Amino acid sequence: MGLRDLAYGAYGKRIEASLDRTVIPRHVGVILDGNRRWAKAYGEQVAEGHRKGADKIHELLTWCEEVGVEVVTLWLLSTDNLNRPPEELADLMVIIENAVTDLAAARRWRVHPVGALDLLPEHTREVLKRSEAETADLTGVFVNVAVGYGGRHEIADAVRSLLVEHAGKGTSIEELAEVLDVEHIAEHLYTRGQPDPDLVIRTSGEQRLSGFLLWQSAHSEFYFCEAFWPDFRKVDFLRALRDYSARHRRYGA
């Protein structure tokens, strides 16, 4: 460990000691961005960037445990990412499968896949569902693994599910239109029953949501970090929490 690492460690401890534990976010969403750019910057293959990014997940969840975050949503693969070159996508699917399997094997976190699973390869779907089943009895941090996820796709799926449900009850479109409100749609989202994210973190310097938790993030706070995801450090996470704790959330009031 070099002097720089020691300095960052000491700095991180000071931030952590100063955090107001009464305002820790219950739900943190993370856009794990910058794996490919990290690989390019370090002269590595794209797959190595994705592997390094996957290795960082355990660290993040440990940091969340330490401060009391209850729910974490990790955006591992978007619906747009499914259009990437086949060879990159094949590598990425294996990396995601291994990462989710490792999360389940740790027996510390409850895994819940969110996304359009029907768009994923069959084996990937099986791994995600198996990891969810294997961790269903755990009470640690609840981890949404967003794979094949897109915010617009989620809302469309929620509306479709809502219509199918009411059609099964014999409700007409006119009757549904009279009573439909936001809660009806919220009850059909991938994250139904969970608190909406209090804080959304995006790495790599990009300052946009790109479709992440569009419905749920209406009142979220956002933190954009310059570091590529594989380089994301505990001190970066603590800075995000410190920034969050200093904000005054008004929820539109």
Side-chain angles (χ1 to χ4, degrees):
M1 180 179 292
L3 291 176
R4 185 175 182 179
D5 292 327
L6 289 172
Y8 270 115
Y11 175 50
K13 288 179 180 179
R14 288 200 300 273
I15 296 176
E16 190 168 4
S18 68
L19 286 177
D20 183 350
R21 298 301 177 116
T22 67
V23 291
I24 295 296
R26 289 184 65 195
H27 182 173
V28 175
V30 188
I31 302 174
L32 287 58
D33 195 22
N35 291 339
R36 293 199 293 179
R37 279 171 284 167
W38 180 93
K40 184 177 180 180
Y42 285 88
E44 300 283 358
Q45 296 295 315
V46 169
E48 182 61 20
H50 292 313
R51 276 189 285 270
K52 285 292 185 181
D55 292 342
K56 183 65 61 174
I57 292 173
H58 277 251
E59 291 182 64
L60 172 71
L61 295 179
T62 297
W63 304 334
C64 289
E65 281 179 330
E66 291 172 352
V67 298
V69 173
E70 299 174 18
V71 182
V72 179
T73 298
L74 306 170
W75 200 7
L76 303 183
L77 184 79
S78 72
T79 48
D80 291 338
N81 293 156
L82 294 172
N83 295 319
R84 288 183 176 179
E87 60 276 9
E88 179 185 349
L89 198 56
D91 288 338
L92 187 50
M93 288 298 179
V94 172
I95 292 166
I96 289 173
E97 290 171 9
N98 291 339
V100 175
T101 298
D102 288 346
L103 290 182
R107 300 294 298 166
R108 292 165 62 186
W109 308 298
R110 185 174 175 184
V111 177
H112 176 61
V114 297
L117 302 188
D118 56 306
L119 300 180
L120 303 177
E122 181 178 357
H123 187 261
T124 303
R125 291 199 303 272
E126 291 174 353
V127 168
L128 292 172
K129 291 177 180 178
R130 182 169 64 247
S131 296
E132 180 176 33
E134 290 174 352
T135 60
D137 62 327
L138 302 182
T139 57
V141 176
F142 194 98
V143 184
N144 295 311
V145 287
V147 183
Y149 175 86
R152 290 178 174 178
H153 201 109
E154 177 181 23
I155 294 169
D157 275 352
V159 173
R160 187 179 301 110
S161 174
L162 175 66
L163 292 174
V164 169
E165 176 188 300
H166 281 271
K169 297 177 180 178
T171 307
S172 70
I173 290 295
E174 292 77 14
E175 290 171 331
L176 180 58
E178 287 181 4
V179 300
L180 182 65
D181 62 23
V182 294
E183 291 306 317
H184 288 109
I185 296 176
E187 290 168 0
H188 291 266
L189 296 172
Y190 302 146
T191 59
R192 55 190 170 274
Q194 302 178 27
D196 288 338
D198 303 293
L199 174 65
V200 174
I201 300 171
R202 181 168 188 161
T203 58
S204 86
E206 301 292 346
Q207 297 189 22
R208 59 179 183 273
L209 285 181
S210 300
F212 183 58
L213 300 179
L214 288 178
W215 182 282
Q216 299 90 330
S217 64
H219 296 294
S220 301
E221 300 294 331
F222 303 103
Y223 185 84
F224 301 104
C225 177
E226 292 295 325
F228 295 139
W229 170 246
D231 287 333
F232 189 71
R233 305 159 300 182
K234 185 175 183 180
V235 70
D236 298 313
F237 176 68
L238 293 173
R239 282 170 170 164
L241 296 185
R242 180 182 63 184
D243 187 81
Y244 170 83
S245 69
R247 300 184 189 182
H248 300 285
R249 306 185 71 195
R250 299 180 181 85
Y251 299 98

